[in-house]
Amino acid sequence: MVAPQAIGYLYPWDVLGDPAAPAWLGTAGVDRVALAAAYHSVRAGTPRHPDRRVVDARTAALYVPAGAAFADQALVPASAKGWTGTANSFAGAAAVVRGLGLPVDAWTVLTHSSAAGGNNPDLCVRNAFGEVYRYALCPSQPQVRTYAAALVAQVLAEGQPDGLVLEAIGPLGFGHQNQHEKTEGAEYSPWVQALLSLCFCTTCIAACEARGLPVQEYRSQVRSAVLLAEDHTETPETAPGAADFLPLLDIRWDAAAALLDECLAAIDASGAAPRISLHASPDPWSTGPFVATASLRRSKLWPLMDQVTAVVACWGESDQGVAAVRALKAAAPQARVGAYVLALPPKRADAGHLAAEWESLAEAGADELHVYHLGLASTRRLGAIGGAVTMLRDDGALRQRDVR
């Protein structure tokens, strides 16, 4: 078995202002770092920083200077200077990482922004009940696609990364909200949440009408299905009549593909040749950080997938992660497969446990391990990450491969 590279995820503030950052980052043993360059709001612990213990990144922001890239656009990213102290915290943090000889990928979140969406609710996902998800920009909207491409262009121009890790290429849905969540008690099933993720914004409605679809009938069917749902465990795979809504998914897939294509055009125009990774899911109903592979098939990137890493979520139990890797490998057989693994609670802070889980993912076909998250991990957990990588390498299970 040829084993995967380890890519560690990091925020700029994890290392900026910390003279000891190179030392503790080196103990993680990763091969490269995915550093946030455009990211949603977060309240993040900083367990090793000498001057703070929490960062309140209160809004989605760009971690490189915006310059004039968003002039005359409705959607404009916020600056992170208020909590990083600099307009280009990505470049400063990248210099620290590169000082260890590690390549830096720009972790870039595209359609998840409560700040941009809150100021432009007409550009957000709107469910069948007319309720707007202000954190979820809809890729059917041309202005959202332009915004995403501008994010990528500016990150490449100002950040000069070695690669890109693209997250939220498609729309966010009912889940993955940015506020204190108070919906769990309602026990909406996965099927209901999938239905509540279908978009009926003005542009999605126009797309339906352009295809001759009875959009008001679909809206009524979605509402009825939600209101009549009683099984709290029902999923799109088990729900009778789920296939009836595939024409609506078709519009979503096309929209995400169009957004990705505009980002690819921005990459081509930059003259850069970054290594590309993207968060993806084999689930055709997928929303949120992981774009459905059905969208990738419609993108201009699909013929080039042998040069791309598709990163699938493996945060659950080990057997679930193995199944996810295998499913993604079947859905995108040309692509390298990255397993997005969790090293935070509820995972055990135990090197042997992590090593065994990660090795099972490699055996299932994972070409890379995307480790979340080096900065959020306690020192004990960071030691477990480094210990797991060392343990697997000593066993010959983590040998380098050329994944340029």
Side-chain angles (χ1 to χ4, degrees), residues 61-359:
L62 185 60
Y63 289 81
V64 300
F70 301 89
D72 302 322
Q73 288 194 38
L75 297 169
V76 180
S79 168
K81 187 174 181 179
W83 55 88
T84 63
T86 173
N88 200 350
S89 55
F90 178 89
V96 174
V97 175
R98 288 195 177 114
L100 294 172
L102 298 176
V104 177
D105 298 336
W107 180 15
T108 307
V109 179
L110 300 176
T111 65
H112 183 186
S113 175
S114 55
N119 292 327
N120 299 273
D122 54 318
L123 301 181
C124 295
V125 172
R126 183 182 296 268
N127 70 21
F129 292 82
E131 297 152 345
V132 176
Y133 302 152
R134 293 173 181 260
Y135 52 85
L137 299 173
C138 180
S140 287
Q141 301 281 351
Q143 292 180 78
V144 172
R145 299 199 292 265
T146 299
Y147 167 77
L151 284 178
V152 169
Q154 201 64 5
V155 165
L156 290 174
E158 296 288 345
Q160 299 289 306
D162 301 294
L164 289 170
V165 177
L166 300 180
E167 178 180 319
I169 294 168
L172 274 74
F174 178 81
H176 207 78
Q177 285 104 327
N178 62 303
Q179 297 172 325
H180 297 290
E181 192 62 33
K182 302 294 182 182
T183 59
E184 289 185 0
E187 294 188 328
Y188 296 147
S189 68
W191 170 231
V192 166
Q193 293 185 48
L195 291 170
L196 290 174
S197 298
L198 293 170
C199 186
F200 292 88
C201 71
T202 54
T203 305
C204 285
I205 287 175
C208 285
E209 293 172 342
R211 300 180 189 209
L213 299 176
V215 63
Q216 297 307 327
E217 182 178 328
Y218 272 116
R219 191 206 300 263
S220 177
Q221 289 175 348
V222 170
R223 288 169 60 104
S224 294
V226 170
L227 294 172
L228 295 173
E230 295 182 350
D231 182 353
H232 301 310
T233 65
E234 195 167 37
T235 69
E237 291 75 26
T238 62
D244 295 343
F245 298 104
L246 289 180
L248 299 180
L249 292 188
D250 198 66
I251 289 171
R252 178 196 290 169
W253 298 333
D254 281 348
L259 184 145
L260 179 55
D261 286 348
E262 290 200 24
C263 291
L264 294 176
I267 294 171
D268 289 343
S270 74
R275 177 182 184 272
I276 297 177
S277 303
L278 45 84
H279 288 196
S281 170
D283 178 5
W285 287 81
S286 180
T287 54
F290 299 89
V291 67
T293 52
S295 291
L296 302 182
R297 287 181 175 273
R298 295 158 189 246
S299 166
K300 294 175 182 177
L301 190 63
W302 187 252
L304 306 173
M305 286 298 288
D306 60 336
Q307 304 171 39
V308 175
T309 299
V311 184
V312 67
C314 298
W315 284 19
E317 297 299 323
S318 181
D319 59 341
Q320 295 173 319
V322 166
V325 167
R326 289 173 176 165
L328 185 60
K329 203 163 186 66
Q334 313 99 306
R336 298 188 300 266
V337 172
Y340 197 29
V341 296
L342 182 67
L344 307 179
K347 294 293 184 180
R348 290 164 51 189
D350 180 87
H353 179 80
L354 293 177
E357 183 171 302
W358 296 353
E359 187 165 15

Side-chain angles (χ1 to χ4, degrees), residues 335-395:
R336 298 188 300 266
V337 172
Y340 197 29
V341 296
L342 182 67
L344 307 179
K347 294 293 184 180
R348 290 164 51 189
D350 180 87
H353 179 80
L354 293 177
E357 183 171 302
W358 296 353
E359 187 165 15
S360 70
L361 296 172
E363 290 172 346
D367 301 290
E368 300 174 13
L369 295 172
H370 287 240
V371 183
Y372 185 91
H373 179 288
L374 303 186
L376 295 175
S378 66
T379 298
R380 178 173 68 109
R381 289 183 175 277
L382 187 69
I385 293 169
V389 171
T390 299
M391 189 180 303
L392 290 171
R393 284 180 175 150
D394 287 346
D395 288 343

